[in-house]
Amino acid sequence: MERVVVTGVGMVTPVGVGTAPSFDALIAGKSGVGPITLFDADERYPTRIAAEVKDFDPTLFMEKKKLKEVSRFIPFALAATKMALEEADLGLTDEERERTGVFIGVGMGGLENLEKCTLTLEHKGPGRISPYFIPSLIANMAAGQVSIEYGFRGPSFAHTSACSSSAHALGEALRWIQYGRAEVMVAGGAEATIAPIGIAGFAAMFALSRRNDDPTRASRPWDVDRDGFVCGEGAGTLILESLSRAKRRGAKILAEITGYAATSDAYHITKPAEGGHGAVRSMRDALKDARLNPDQIGYVNAHGTSTPPGDVAEAKAMVEVFGSHATDKHLWVSSTKSMMGHLLGAAGAVESAVCVQELARGIV
């Protein structure tokens, strides 16, 4: 099978617009969490904090007149992809564009537009619904808009599996190149759910932190006083390329992706299986796929959402998989959600991009 490398990375996150600003902020320990500004989160909301993307100008990444056609997650995806493509400098031929695919994982899509148009329907009637309503919110349109923008005519679709959406998008893009179906894949994730219905919905599940008086320290993975995750937004894109193509063109290789696995707990709609057994199987299968032993792993960017049951299950899973390599403190583990919040469907891609930067810079 083909070996697969990363030649470009782009990030739009609550701690920075751009890969370098985002990573620099993380290394400095800067939190992107604060009071919600995207809507009026008054006292009726038990959670009034979130990790919003700040100072984002969508007109830098798409035509102003087209903004009415999209929900917030789509410009995020276009921005992260533009950055990644600029770094990769692929030099694609027309023939290669025929086989270049776009997999962008999205968990919920244009939630804010769904809410707005529902209110428009209720108060003004069906005649006032925008013809762009459906295309603006469906999850696959992040990949679709990227494909249209750059003329990538290979496979284009969204993987939707909640918080695993973009991790699955990366893994499946890896497979397309490994099996020789493509030499280049654009893979990542995008999400923007900081809207009244989104915050109210997650709060109703008792999933969100209610530490409104201390937002920058609200997301605290593994802390004994953790009380839920903080909703974040943003996008991450990685350019995956076959090693042979990257070498032929003299590309700067940022990292190699060597293993991938996916499992299901088949247990509960939100709670992880006891002892993190699903995560154990997934990590072991990924290690097997990569032909690596547990003691060869130096760092894990954990899911670490700051939820009471989730963090315990994940910690147990890591101990089960890595054993003394972890308990004797030879394995570095962190959760960047402590600063960026939980980017939901975009989390896997953004955190993979963070890992690539850690490798490239030699800093955890």
Side-chain angles (χ1 to χ4, degrees):
M1 288 194 298
E2 283 274 9
R3 290 172 64 184
V4 179
V5 297
V6 179
T7 55
V9 168
M11 284 194 279
V12 175
T13 75
V15 295
V17 176
T19 304
S22 293
F23 190 72
D24 290 344
L26 292 175
I27 293 302
K30 294 181 180 178
S31 173
V33 183
I36 292 171
T37 65
L38 291 172
F39 68 93
D40 182 17
D42 58 30
E43 295 297 322
R44 294 176 299 168
Y45 293 86
T47 294
R48 298 182 294 279
I49 56 174
E52 299 176 347
V53 171
K54 304 156 194 71
D55 303 318
F56 179 75
D57 182 358
T59 62
L60 296 176
F61 307 101
M62 65 184 304
E63 292 182 65
K64 185 176 181 179
K65 65 181 181 180
K66 288 192 173 183
L67 289 176
K68 66 179 182 292
E69 302 177 18
V70 300
S71 293
R72 186 171 168 87
F73 75 104
I74 293 173
F76 286 165
L78 285 164
T81 301
K82 184 174 188 284
M83 297 168 193
L85 288 169
E86 286 176 351
E87 181 174 33
D89 192 20
L90 289 167
L92 293 168
T93 65
D94 285 342
E95 184 179 352
E96 286 177 318
R97 287 177 189 274
E98 295 283 344
R99 285 162 44 84
T100 297
V102 184
F103 290 171
I104 297 180
V106 177
M108 301 184 75
L111 196 61
E112 86 278 13
N113 259 12
L114 177 61
E115 182 174 23
K116 288 176 184 176
C117 286
T118 299
L119 292 172
T120 297
L121 176 64
E122 180 180 356
H123 297 293
K124 298 182 180 180
R128 297 297 298 275
I129 297 297
S130 167
Y132 298 114
F133 167 52
I134 298 298
S136 77
L137 66 89
I138 50 179
N140 70 292
M141 285 309 296
Q145 291 281 7
V146 167
S147 297
I148 292 167
E149 177 70 18
Y150 296 102
F152 297 148
R153 296 181 289 277
S156 171
F157 49 89
H159 296 76
T160 299
S161 48
C163 312
S164 300
S165 298
S166 57
H168 285 146
L170 287 169
E172 296 305 317
L174 167 74
R175 294 292 188 244
W176 273 74
I177 297 176
Q178 284 180 327
Y179 297 153
R181 298 173 182 169
E183 282 196 288
V184 176
M185 292 292 290
V186 177
E191 198 80 273
T193 62
I194 303 173
I197 195 70
I199 297 299
F202 282 123
M205 296 168 61
F206 297 97
L208 297 180
S209 171
R210 302 188 179 193
R211 198 170 268 106
N212 298 303
D213 58 345
D214 193 10
T216 62
R217 300 185 345 142
S219 179
R220 44 176 72 195
W222 300 295
D223 189 271
V224 68
D225 292 324
R226 67 192 182 280
D227 68 335
F229 73 82
V230 173
C231 197
E233 62 177 2
T237 299
L238 285 74
I239 306 304
L240 308 190
E241 193 170 352
S242 68
L243 178 61
S244 57
R245 185 184 191 277
K247 282 185 171 182
R248 281 199 308 271
R249 69 185 190 87
K252 180 181 178 180
I253 294 171
L254 304 176
E256 181 177 4
I257 302 180
T258 57
Y260 163 64
T263 61
S264 174
D265 287 15
Y267 177 72
H268 186 271
I269 59 171
T270 56
K271 292 180 183 178
E274 295 295 331
H277 296 309
V280 168
R281 289 186 295 111
S282 188
M283 285 188 280
R284 282 179 172 162
D285 287 351
L287 286 166
K288 183 178 179 181
D289 188 49
R291 299 179 182 177
L292 292 172
N293 298 320
D295 61 6
Q296 292 177 275
I297 304 301
Y299 169 71
V300 174
N301 186 296
H303 194 47
T305 57
S306 187
T307 56
D311 288 5
V312 170
E314 187 173 17
K316 288 180 177 179
M318 284 187 283
V319 171
E320 178 71 20
V321 172
F322 295 101
S324 61
H325 182 58
T327 56
D328 292 346
K329 301 183 180 181
H330 299 301
L331 180 71
W332 289 78
V333 179
S334 70
S335 170
T336 42
K337 289 183 180 69
S338 60
M339 294 169 278
M340 295 192 294
H342 191 347
L343 272 63
L344 305 173
V350 169
E351 292 165 24
S352 295
V354 169
C355 289
V356 172
Q357 290 300 298
E358 288 166 340
L359 289 168
R361 295 205 200 182
I363 302 172
V364 173

